[in-house]
Amino acid sequence: MNMRYDFQELLSAVGRKFNNNNTLFDPYISHVRFPHYKMLAEDAVIHFTHPLTVLVGPNGTNKTSVLQALYGCPHGQSLSTYWFSTDIDKIDDRWRHRVIHGYINRRLGKVVESLNTRIGESKGQDYWESSRAIETLGMEIPTKKELSDGGNKSTTRWDAIIKKTTFIDCKNYYSAFDLFFYLSEFAKSSRIPTRQSFIRARSKHLRKIISQNLRSYPFKGIERIVKNQVLPKDVCEIAGYILGKKYTEIRIVEHSLYDRYSNNKPSKTIIMKNDDMEYSEAFAGSGEARVVLIINDIYNAPNNSLVLMDEPEISLHPDAVHKLKLFILDEIKKKSHQVVISTHSPAMVEGLPDSSIKVLYPNNNDKIEIKENVSFHEAFFAIGQSDSDKKTIIVEDVLSKYVIDFYIEKFRPNLVNAFEVKYVPGGASSIVKQDVASAAREQDRNRFFVLDGDQNKLRDYCFSDDSIIQPSWIVNQSIATCTIPEVANDKLGEVIKALTGQKIDFYVDGGEGDNSGQKIECQRQFLDYWGRNVFFFCEETPEKAILEALGIDYEGKTPKQYFKELAEEEMGTIVDSREILNLQKRKLNELYKTNRDSSLFKNVESIVNTIIGR
């Protein structure tokens, strides 16, 4: 088996297969909707626009619940297998919990939807049933002819998708040893006083089963073997690749030998061999045994399966998680699986296309929202970053701070804790000479600056043969120092002044000798930092950006003057800066309600996305 996975090649191959002929993945859940389900916001939706989907978010954001809902979508399966009411955790049935899934009916060439509703206890404990389409839920009511032409069995509603499902709940992948030793009751006796002595006694029987490759083993009147299998060589190689080991054989024995009086369900002992030794999960780490079980289940999933995985990264180091991701992609490529994974691991998310990543996060009403098409960096913030990862944005006035804070709160609430926007008094010149210069010296990659558009000297710069800045130095609207020839080194101070509007002093080491080389290095470092960490509003000032986006004619006044006079007109008296800011806030909210695609919001969106990417 070829174990030389290349991530980009695999990802591209999966994308091509899905985009060029996604019928190969049929039957395929195209989307799932939640009119009302657990703590999800009403009408939350997930579109599966890539065969590998990762659900990312803090603890308590219903990621596992989404997997359970997906498990209950295909025909013959019920969500109540995993979610059921008890006297302690009573399910509130005042509002019907509903899950809608869509799939393409190839006979009709259209997406159809199937509704699954929790009826509650009126038809039996935790009963879920397929329901007729409901228009108020945004569902299309099918005609009998459509149902017939589409090959549907029911004459009143679309059938649930028929799809094989493999649910890998990694938190419950306990080996036989772990289940008995850590999680089961044990009644000691004079002959067997400890768990260790019990395992020693029963392991003699297990050794006989393994050495003789037995398929049946009655003991104390009970058949103890459910399955005894040597895993395929491919599984051994894959497990070795992921864990950095070399296995010559892996055997799984599902048995009930580690059961005395507690009536535990049969569990699995994993026997691993290499050239030097043979050992079970009791000797191996829990992560090693769990990965073997996960790999085996994925490997044995039938073609075109729905594979659901809940936190497969448990007990794995990041490199092993990355390699597990490669294996999953390879299985998707070969078997056309649809895979949905809940995860807290950046290694599982990194490198995946935005279409794969769904972020779940609580809104201000403690309901869980779902954001789609999210970059890895944004998802990483949602997973949870340390304070050292928080991005600080420095602005030159209070309104600029409000505009950025407003955008993040309204458009990207899952990033609220990832950014801190600070207003620094003193104006742009002070920020450039002190804050930007200091941050550039320290190479502070988590500090960014958003200045008014009138500070963007390159925007209206007049290029000529004898200008300080040459057009050939400009890459992506910034100066790229790699394009500045060494002969221009003595002009770098002038270049910086032309770019920033400020003369920046660069201090180098004292002492004898020529330190010009060190100064040049500092100047080039500043230029690089400026291009990477300094941004501008789309208009000269945020006041103008708001008025332009609203399409307001400010009648020859300056934007600041317009807002001041309008505030005085509304208040009927002289106003202060606080009252003017409140008016500006109202206008920004008006813009949000009337034109969310405005140039101002797009400008801030571009800045935020670029910062996240860096």
Side-chain angles (χ1 to χ4, degrees):
M1 184 177 183
N2 179 19
M3 297 305 299
R4 293 185 178 181
Y5 294 131
D6 181 277
F7 176 67
Q8 289 303 328
E9 286 183 8
L10 269 178
L11 196 62
S12 297
V14 168
R16 285 194 303 270
K17 182 177 182 180
F18 183 75
N19 294 323
N20 294 343
N21 189 2
N22 57 22
T23 60
L24 296 172
F25 288 82
D26 284 348
Y28 184 86
I29 298 177
S30 63
H31 66 271
V32 61
R33 297 201 285 127
F34 303 97
H36 182 78
Y37 177 63
K38 289 200 171 183
M39 292 303 296
L40 295 181
E42 288 190 11
D43 301 318
V45 62
I46 299 176
H47 297 91
F48 299 101
T49 52
H50 193 277
L52 174 58
T53 299
V54 290
L55 308 176
V56 177
N59 290 325
T61 50
N62 282 197
K63 298 185 297 298
T64 301
S65 297
V66 170
L67 294 181
Q68 293 169 353
L70 287 168
Y71 173 84
C73 287
H75 175 74
Q77 297 175 179
S78 175
L79 199 158
S80 62
T81 301
Y82 293 99
W83 186 42
F84 47 88
S85 184
T86 70
D87 287 339
I88 296 175
D89 297 301
K90 195 78 172 174
I91 296 175
D92 190 345
D93 286 318
R94 286 177 296 174
W95 298 276
R96 290 288 188 207
H97 292 272
R98 294 186 169 105
V99 178
I100 299 170
H101 71 277
Y103 60 92
I104 296 178
N105 183 298
R106 292 296 175 186
R107 291 193 183 186
L108 300 181
K110 63 182 287 188
V111 174
V112 300
E113 289 189 323
S114 176
L115 171 62
N116 205 13
T117 302
R118 185 181 188 278
I119 303 303
E121 300 181 5
S122 61
K123 289 191 176 182
Q125 189 82 355
D126 299 297
Y127 183 78
W128 287 75
E129 71 175 10
S130 176
S131 306
R132 295 172 184 260
I134 300 175
E135 279 190 292
T136 55
L137 299 181
M139 300 181 73
E140 181 182 310
I141 310 298
T143 65
K144 287 187 176 182
K145 184 176 186 309
E146 278 184 312
L147 294 169
S148 175
D149 291 348
N152 205 64
K153 290 183 179 180
S154 172
T155 59
T156 59
R157 68 206 72 184
W158 288 110
D159 298 332
I161 193 170
I162 299 175
K163 192 169 180 68
K164 303 177 185 71
T165 304
T166 298
F167 196 133
I168 299 172
D169 187 352
C170 303
K171 293 189 290 291
N172 292 324
Y173 269 46
Y174 298 111
S175 66
F177 176 86
D178 287 343
L179 189 63
F180 174 76
F181 196 81
Y182 296 108
L183 301 171
S184 298
E185 294 180 1
F186 174 71
K188 66 181 179 178
S189 66
S190 57
R191 191 172 64 87
I192 304 178
T194 65
R195 292 177 186 267
Q196 292 89 335
S197 57
F198 179 82
I199 290 175
R200 287 192 191 101
R202 292 296 173 92
S203 67
K204 296 176 182 178
H205 302 283
L206 191 55
R207 165 49 59 196
K208 185 176 180 180
I209 291 169
I210 294 167
S211 61
Q212 298 181 21
N213 196 27
L214 299 179
R215 297 293 188 272
S216 174
Y217 195 83
F219 178 68
K220 293 184 178 293
I222 301 173
E223 173 58 61
R224 296 291 178 167
I225 299 177
V226 176
K227 185 181 291 186
N228 179 7
Q229 64 172 150
V230 174
L231 301 187
K233 182 180 178 182
D234 285 354
V235 175
C236 291
E237 291 184 1
I238 294 162
Y241 167 74
I242 291 173
L243 294 168
K245 296 177 178 286
K246 186 174 182 179
Y247 300 107
T248 56
E249 181 182 289
I250 299 178
R251 178 190 294 270
I252 295 179
V253 182
E254 189 172 357
H255 62 90
S256 59
L257 282 168
Y258 290 167
D259 180 25
R260 195 175 185 189
Y261 304 119
S262 55
N263 295 316
N264 288 331
K265 67 179 181 179
S267 51
K268 296 174 181 178
T269 288
I270 301 95
I271 305 296
M272 290 153 277
K273 288 184 181 180
N274 56 37
D275 292 334
D276 301 320
M277 63 187 302
E278 175 181 295
Y279 57 95
S280 77
E281 75 276 8
F283 183 85
S286 59
E288 184 175 0
R290 184 180 285 113
V291 164
V292 169
L293 296 175
I294 291 172
I295 292 168
N296 191 51
D297 281 353
I298 298 174
Y299 182 84
N300 287 297
N303 288 358
N304 300 82
S305 287
L306 173 64
V307 180
L308 306 171
M309 306 180 69
D310 195 11
E311 299 185 21
E313 69 271 12
I314 294 175
S315 300
L316 293 181
H317 57 83
D319 184 60
V321 175
H322 175 70
K323 289 177 177 177
L324 176 62
K325 177 172 63 178
L326 293 176
F327 166 62
I328 292 167
L329 284 168
D330 193 52
E331 289 296 288
I332 293 173
K333 184 185 75 170
K334 291 188 296 190
K335 295 184 177 180
S336 303
H337 292 323
Q338 180 174 8
V339 180
V340 184
I341 302 172
S342 75
T343 184
H344 291 108
S345 170
M348 183 61 73
V349 182
E350 186 172 13
L352 294 178
D354 294 359
S355 58
S356 289
I357 305 171
K358 321 293 177 182
V359 170
L360 288 78
Y361 61 94
N363 63 21
N364 293 332
N365 298 317
D366 293 326
K367 289 290 187 178
I368 306 302
E369 301 278 359
I370 301 173
K371 182 173 177 59
E372 302 192 275
N373 297 316
V374 179
S375 71
F376 157 70
H377 301 280
E378 186 168 346
F380 179 71
F381 285 128
I383 292 171
Q385 80 291 345
S386 66
D387 288 340
S388 62
D389 295 319
K390 181 173 284 191
K391 309 298 182 185
T392 300
I393 298 177
I394 304 296
V395 296
E396 58 178 288
D397 57 52
V398 177
L399 179 57
S400 297
K401 170 178 164 54
Y402 183 78
V403 168
I404 298 174
D405 281 335
F406 181 90
Y407 169 82
I408 293 172
E409 178 186 349
K410 296 294 186 182
F411 291 89
R412 313 289 277 278
N414 54 303
L415 292 179
V416 166
N417 294 323
F419 286 92
E420 181 180 12
V421 185
K422 291 184 175 180
Y423 155 58
V424 175
S429 60
S430 175
I431 290 174
V432 172
K433 295 182 72 172
Q434 297 179 26
D435 297 271
V436 178
S438 174
R441 279 194 300 272
E442 298 168 6
Q443 286 296 286
D444 187 343
R445 294 182 176 273
N446 283 333
R447 185 168 293 257
F448 298 85
F449 303 83
V450 179
L451 306 177
D452 291 356
D454 59 6
Q455 299 300 315
N456 188 357
K457 309 302 181 183
L458 281 182
R459 185 172 62 179
D460 300 317
Y461 191 79
C462 296
F463 294 101
S464 65
D465 292 340
D466 58 353
S467 61
I468 296 298
I469 301 174
Q470 292 299 304
S472 59
W473 301 350
I474 309 301
V475 178
N476 295 328
Q477 302 178 348
S478 298
I479 292 179
T481 56
C482 61
T483 64
I484 303 177
E486 290 186 9
V487 295
N489 280 345
D490 61 337
K491 300 289 186 182
L492 290 179
E494 296 177 56
V495 171
I496 291 172
K497 184 175 181 180
L499 178 67
T500 67
Q502 306 296 323
K503 182 181 182 299
I504 309 294
D505 294 320
F506 294 91
Y507 301 100
V508 296
D509 295 337
E512 297 181 0
D514 183 8
N515 292 318
S516 59
Q518 188 182 22
K519 181 176 181 180
I520 290 168
E521 182 181 351
C522 291
Q523 290 172 325
R524 285 180 174 267
Q525 183 175 282
F526 178 91
L527 289 169
D528 286 334
Y529 191 87
W530 183 273
R532 189 175 60 244
N533 290 59
V534 178
F535 302 87
F536 304 95
F537 279 110
C538 53
E539 299 291 347
E540 283 83 356
T541 63
E543 291 88 350
K544 182 177 180 181
I546 294 172
L547 295 177
E548 292 286 341
L550 284 169
I552 293 176
D553 181 3
Y554 37 96
E555 302 166 352
K557 305 181 180 72
T558 66
K560 290 182 184 292
Q561 185 182 11
Y562 175 85
F563 274 116
K564 179 177 181 298
E565 292 181 5
L566 181 60
E568 289 175 344
E569 181 181 331
E570 288 185 359
M571 299 293 293
T573 184
I574 296 174
V575 294
D576 58 24
S577 59
R578 179 181 55 83
E579 290 161 333
I580 296 173
L581 179 62
N582 286 336
L583 171 62
Q584 292 164 340
K585 289 179 177 180
R586 293 198 300 273
K587 288 297 182 183
L588 190 63
N589 193 53
E590 178 185 328
L591 179 62
Y592 173 74
K593 291 179 178 179
T594 59
N595 186 9
R596 297 186 186 184
D597 292 325
S598 68
S599 57
L600 175 58
F601 290 140
K602 289 298 182 184
N603 174 217
V604 180
E605 177 183 48
S606 176
I607 292 170
V608 170
N609 285 342
T610 304
I611 291 174
I612 289 172
R614 290 176 180 170

